[in-house]
């Protein structure tokens, strides 16, 4: 019974992990159609914000929940104004530009901090489930993923800002004709997607450690989740993360983490073969 409960908890944590990794990319790629190859480095920047802040005496929770989203969100706005705004509708160019930004960020951070892993203390300690010990921080990740999805859903569904953002992404020319300042909407949307990514990077830092190349480990999982989920930001991210996370973690328990990652990739390939437009392109077409 205890072993089953631990397995269930780890599967839910794996789903939450993918939700956190993919939510910012779902906004930037899913809504804006910008292929942000620097997504992993935005996660890394959130992690280093926590490292620097806590090293200078800032409370760890404040650094993770406030400073990291703020810093990465502002950085995202600068990137959008200086680079991305010239590349809308040019998918290949945006891919190359953000890939170059990724290399620049990795090189710059390596020059400043070196190429060693910097640890961040995991808050809250552990708890016992029968004979098994699990980190209490797993529950933080799970609740953070739930809160993040609910917050994005509420903004897009019930606020004027969310309605304007959705309208601008679907038909920018009509939105411009109606007097909506689309360039500012794009800037704000990219900034919010970046802030969400920074939030995720900060929360994952205690579990993974922080190193300049950490984004390389996450970029594939993020894109696989978003593409498999399809066009719907909330439903697509949740359904893909739930399916892929459960398969990956289940295989990890049975065989090991290498086969777990391989199972995630294989499941995504099968799903995309059966559902080329993603899960929400076939099953939840009108979902948000």
């Amino acid at each position: 019974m205890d072993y089953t409960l631990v397995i269930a908890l780890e599967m839910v944590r794996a789903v939450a992990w993918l939700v956190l990794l993919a939510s910012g990319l779902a906004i930037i790629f899913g809504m804006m159609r910008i292929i942000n190859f620097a997504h992993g480095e935005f996660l890394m920047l959130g992690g280093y914000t926590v490292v620097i802040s806590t090293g200078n005496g800032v409370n760890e929770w404040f650094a993770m929940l406030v400073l990291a989203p703020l810093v990465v969100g502002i950085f995202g706005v600068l990137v959008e104004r200086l680079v991305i705004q010239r590349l809308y509708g040019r998918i290949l160019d945006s891919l190359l530009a953000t890939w170059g930004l990724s290399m620049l960020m990795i090189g710059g951070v390596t020059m400043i901090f070196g190429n060693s892993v910097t640890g961040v203390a995991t808050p809250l300690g552990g708890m016992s489930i029968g004979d098994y010990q699990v980190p209490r921080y797993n529950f933080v990740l799970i609740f953070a993923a739930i809160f993040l999805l609910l917050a994005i859903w509420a903004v897009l569904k019930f606020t004027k800002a969310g309605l304007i953002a959705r309208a601008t992404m679907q038909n920018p020319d009509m939105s411009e004709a109606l007097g909506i300042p689309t360039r500012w909407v794009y800037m704000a949307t990219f900034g919010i997607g970046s802030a969400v990514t920074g939030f995720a990077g900060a929360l994952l830092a205690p579990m993974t450690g922080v190193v300049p190349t950490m984004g390389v480990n996450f970029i594939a999982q993020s894109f696989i989740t978003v593409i498999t989920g399809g066009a719907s930001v909330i439903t697509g991210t949740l359904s893909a993360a739930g399916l892929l996370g459960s398969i990956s973690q289940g295989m990890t328990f049975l065989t090991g983490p290498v086969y777990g990652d391989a199972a995630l990739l294989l499941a995504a390939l099968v799903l995309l073969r059966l559902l080329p437009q993603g899960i929400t392109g076939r099953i939840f077409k009108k979902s948000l």
Side-chain angles (χ1 to χ4, degrees), residues 5 10 19 22 41 44 55 66 73 78 98 124 134 139 150 176 196 216:
L5 185 58
E10 284 299 308
V19 167
E41 284 59 56
M44 175 264 291
V66 178
L78 292 174
T98 54
L124 303 178
V134 297
F139 294 99
L150 287 175
E176 189 77 41
V196 169
V216 176

Side-chain angles (χ1 to χ4, degrees), residues 193-253:
S194 300
V196 169
T197 303
F199 175 70
L203 286 174
L204 298 178
M207 303 290 289
T208 63
V210 183
V211 66
T213 55
M214 65 181 284
V216 176
N217 300 322
F218 300 137
I219 187 70
Q221 293 180 12
S222 302
F223 269 101
I224 287 170
T225 303
V226 172
I227 293 171
T228 304
S232 299
V233 175
I234 307 299
T235 310
T237 301
L238 182 58
S239 58
L243 187 58
L244 298 177
S246 299
I247 291 172
S248 175
Q249 194 62 38
M251 187 60 69
T252 297
F253 269 108

Side-chain angles (χ1 to χ4, degrees), residues 77-88 93-94 97-98 101:
V77 168
L78 292 174
V79 169
E80 197 278 338
R81 288 291 87 190
L82 296 174
V83 180
I84 302 299
Q85 70 164 329
R86 298 170 174 82
L87 303 176
Y88 291 120
D93 292 342
S94 68
T98 54
L101 176 64

Side-chain angles (χ1 to χ4, degrees), residues 27 31-32 151-170 175 180-182 184-190 192 288:
I27 294 173
M31 289 183 64
M32 303 178 68
I152 296 171
W153 174 76
V155 169
L156 292 177
K157 181 77 173 177
F158 298 112
T159 68
K160 183 179 179 181
L163 180 63
I164 289 173
R166 289 160 56 197
T168 300
M169 303 310 155
Q170 291 175 12
S175 299
I180 296 174
T182 55
W184 298 111
V185 175
Y186 278 114
M187 181 190 73
T189 304
F190 194 91
I192 291 170
L288 186 61

Side-chain angles (χ1 to χ4, degrees), residues 3-4 14 49-50 66 71 76 89 99 143 154 169 183 188 201 238 246 270:
Y3 183 66
T4 304
T49 301
V50 175
V66 178
V71 168
W99 177 74
F143 287 121
M169 303 310 155
R183 61 193 300 266
L238 182 58
S246 299
V270 171

